[in-house]
Amino acid sequence: MRVRGQVLILLLFVLFIAEDTILPWLIPDAWQFRFSPNLTFVVILFVAVYYSRHTALVLGLVFGLLHDIIFYGSMIGAYSFAMGLSAYVMGLVFHSPRALMPVMMSVVLLGSLLLDSTVFGIYQLFQLNHQFFDWALVEYMAPDLFLHFVFALIIYVPVRKQLERLEKRVKKEEAA
């Protein structure tokens, strides 16, 4: 678990850094305010489905807190809570080491929608957001769903293989 787990955490940090450094160059200027890509969350959803929902919960809390601190300074903890909760719920509902691609893509879409809806609800609850849900759904949730779906399609095979190897190694270590 040690080496593959460290590689997973390193991958999440690289994706976290790429969200704010590389992706703004790839997204056209007119669409900059419609997209808020969260590539780390997509990988955390893969961890929730193929490996462990508890690990996904911890990763969601940690990287969500990083998102709160770096990107969303209006309230610390909202993104962390939403990311951890949605990763845990998706892992609880859809955990399967052999989940097929359509199932995983459904998890990515539902998890992303749950994450954005939870953050929207928390901001609405504390009156930090004054828009309606249908506006938010059209303006930034739907484009994020599309971006997360495309990213999940790109990384599906390599991440799934690595998580399956990690699962086998952990079971082998527990048996010994």
Side-chain angles (χ1 to χ4, degrees):
M1 157 109 186
R2 296 186 194 281
V3 174
R4 295 212 186 269
Q6 292 170 353
V7 169
L8 174 67
I9 292 172
L10 181 65
L11 170 70
L12 289 171
F13 272 117
V14 167
L15 287 174
F16 180 75
I17 292 169
E19 289 173 7
D20 198 39
T21 56
I22 297 171
L23 282 182
W25 288 354
L26 300 175
I27 297 172
D29 290 337
W31 296 352
Q32 287 291 329
F33 296 107
R34 295 191 78 178
F35 287 112
S36 59
N38 195 345
L39 307 180
T40 55
F41 181 66
V42 174
V43 175
I44 290 172
L45 286 175
F46 275 86
V47 171
V49 172
Y50 291 118
Y51 183 63
S52 167
R53 67 180 182 265
H54 304 290
T55 305
L57 171 67
V58 172
L59 290 173
L61 290 173
V62 169
F63 282 97
L65 189 60
L66 281 174
H67 271 276
D68 281 331
I69 292 169
I70 305 270
F71 299 122
Y72 310 106
S74 58
M75 181 187 302
I76 302 296
Y79 215 82
S80 177
F81 170 75
M83 205 168 179
L85 175 74
S86 57
Y88 185 82
V89 167
M90 290 295 115
L92 182 67
V93 174
F94 292 102
H95 179 72
S96 172
R98 294 286 182 189
L100 299 175
M101 182 186 265
V103 173
M104 192 61 220
M105 295 306 117
S106 299
V107 168
V108 168
L109 291 175
L110 290 172
S112 296
L113 185 62
L114 180 63
L115 172 70
D116 288 339
S117 298
T118 305
V119 170
F120 179 84
I122 291 171
Y123 284 174
Q124 192 78 22
L125 178 69
F126 291 103
Q127 298 177 353
L128 295 173
N129 188 4
H130 302 291
Q131 282 82 23
F132 295 108
F133 184 77
D134 56 349
W135 177 86
L137 185 65
V138 170
E139 286 298 315
Y140 69 89
M141 287 185 196
D144 281 348
L145 287 173
F146 175 73
L147 189 66
H148 293 168
F149 182 78
V150 170
F151 180 69
L153 282 174
I154 292 169
I155 67 165
Y156 175 76
V157 173
V159 171
R160 179 180 174 180
K161 286 182 180 179
Q162 291 303 317
L163 289 172
E164 285 175 353
R165 289 180 188 162
L166 180 63
E167 179 79 21
K168 287 178 187 176
R169 182 165 289 170
V170 168
K171 285 183 180 179
K172 184 188 255 185
E173 288 177 0
E174 289 175 356

